[in-house]
Amino acid sequence: GQSLEQPSEVTAVEGAIVQINCTYQTSGFYGLSWYQQHDGGAPTFLSYNALDGLEETGRFSSFLSRSDSYGYLLLQELQMKDSASYFCAGNTGFQKLVFGTGTRLLVSP
Amino acid sequence: KAGVTQTPRYLIKTRGQQVTLSCSPISGHRSVSWYQQTPGQGLQFLFEYFSETQRNKGNFPGRFSGRQFSNSRSEMNVSTLELGDSALYLCASSEGLADNEQFFGPGTRLTVL
């Protein structure tokens, strides 16, 4: 089967750096995506790693290691508006995303 | 560009009924995917349509079906509703080729009583 595990909750303070991990057990992923979802909102795309290594997009960076079946999302200079749920998702082809269990990030002042 | 729209936003049905949900993708997008989101199971893939053809399907019973029209709008249907079908149903659109970003709509909140 395909499964992606994430910590259920992470807390941090404004201005800090936080890392959200994603470990997966599967084969056939073309890459790993990350999505952000605020309460009551729709998931929004943050980043995609097709290859091993680090991808940087502004305050957000994402990392993938296929050999370790592991990825992470790094959020820098945390802001209150970053409080949301974050999902990793494996891209399996034909637009099918297999989502992780999700991590709720709570940013405090 | 207008975003992905879904109608209705909220729906209440009773067990045994059927329901049809609608999704209008971003203009120019030919792929529409559907997902079910519940607190217990998280976000799960239902199916994906591209140019009116179902290209991929998740592990849901046959009560869940969908279709896509020539203008790329998509509908999903759930027949013989069960209490466990209560969920947020999200659709996502993309160009459907080599792109990796999907654009999600606000979802339809379905409650089955």
Side-chain angles (χ1 to χ4, degrees), chain A residues 2-4 22-35 45 47-53 55 62-67 69-72 87-100, chain B residues 35 98-102:
Chain A
Q2 299 171 324
S3 67
L4 298 92
C22 173
T23 57
Y24 59 89
Q25 294 184 9
T26 190
S27 59
F29 277 178
Y30 291 99
L32 195 70
S33 297
W34 288 90
Y35 283 80
F45 174 82
S47 69
Y48 175 71
N49 292 73
L51 304 173
D52 283 6
E55 291 284 339
S62 58
F63 173 82
L64 175 64
S65 169
R66 290 179 183 275
S67 59
S69 297
Y70 165 74
Y72 66 73
F87 295 90
C88 60
N91 294 46
T92 65
F94 292 137
Q95 312 309 105
K96 178 180 178 180
L97 294 174
V98 179
F99 279 90
Chain B
Y35 295 85
D99 51 320
N100 297 300
E101 177 178 359
Q102 293 190 32

Side-chain angles (χ1 to χ4, degrees), chain A residues 3-22:
Chain A
S3 67
L4 298 92
E5 296 295 324
Q6 301 177 235
S8 58
E9 189 173 287
V10 172
T11 59
V13 297
E14 268 188 307
I17 299 173
V18 73
Q19 179 173 311
I20 297 174
N21 298 321
C22 173

Side-chain angles (χ1 to χ4, degrees), chain B residues 15-86:
Chain B
R15 280 182 300 173
Q17 288 186 310
Q18 75 166 14
V19 67
T20 299
L21 312 181
S22 180
C23 173
S24 293
I26 290 172
S27 177
H29 285 187
R30 290 188 288 168
S31 169
V32 173
S33 302
W34 288 90
Y35 295 85
Q36 181 196 65
Q37 186 172 28
T38 60
Q41 299 299 315
L43 275 155
Q44 292 186 288
F45 174 82
L46 282 155
F47 30 65
E48 186 258 1
Y49 288 87
F50 179 83
S51 293
E52 302 180 68
T53 299
Q54 185 182 88
R55 293 194 300 185
N56 216 336
K57 192 175 187 304
N59 296 323
F60 279 82
R63 300 185 297 107
F64 292 81
S65 63
R67 61 177 175 169
Q68 187 180 34
F69 302 95
S70 58
N71 62 358
S72 293
R73 189 177 69 85
S74 177
E75 289 182 347
M76 68 163 282
N77 184 277
V78 188
S79 62
T80 319
L81 283 166
E82 301 177 0
L83 295 179
D85 297 332
S86 293

Side-chain angles (χ1 to χ4, degrees), chain A residues 77-107:
Chain A
E77 301 172 16
L78 279 174
Q79 302 174 10
M80 296 294 290
K81 67 178 182 180
D82 296 329
S83 291
S85 293
Y86 293 83
F87 295 90
C88 60
N91 294 46
T92 65
F94 292 137
Q95 312 309 105
K96 178 180 178 180
L97 294 174
V98 179
F99 279 90
T101 50
T103 299
R104 192 171 182 85
L105 171 63
L106 300 172
V107 181

